[in-house]
Amino acid sequence: MSGLNPRQKEAVLHRGGPLLILAGAGTGKTRTIAYRIARLVERGVPSESVLAVAFTNKSAGELR
C-alpha cells in the first residue's frame, strides 16, 4: 500500500461493510478498489462475494 495516499489507505482499511468510492478522474479509484478487494480476500471474504462496479472499459480491464 506504499503507493496510496492517506485517504486511499483509509478506504482500503475500512472495516464497516460496503464502501462507495467516488472521486474525479485520475485520482486512483481503480487502484484503491483493487487493493481493497485484495485485502478483503486476504481476510477470508470469498472473492465471489465481492462486487466492484467500474464505469469505464479501462477501469474494468484493470480490475479484471
Side-chain angles (χ1 to χ4, degrees), residues 2-57:
S2 62
L4 302 178
N5 67 38
R7 293 295 299 218
Q8 291 168 323
K9 287 179 184 176
E10 180 182 350
V12 170
L13 299 174
H14 174 76
R15 294 188 69 158
L19 178 67
L20 172 66
I21 297 175
L22 183 63
T27 57
K29 293 178 299 297
T30 302
R31 176 185 297 221
T32 303
I33 292 167
Y35 273 90
R36 177 155 171 76
I37 292 170
R39 178 132 173 114
L40 289 170
V41 172
E42 285 175 356
R43 292 185 52 227
V45 175
S47 59
E48 57 272 359
S49 297
V50 176
L51 173 66
V53 179
F55 289 97
T56 66
N57 289 333

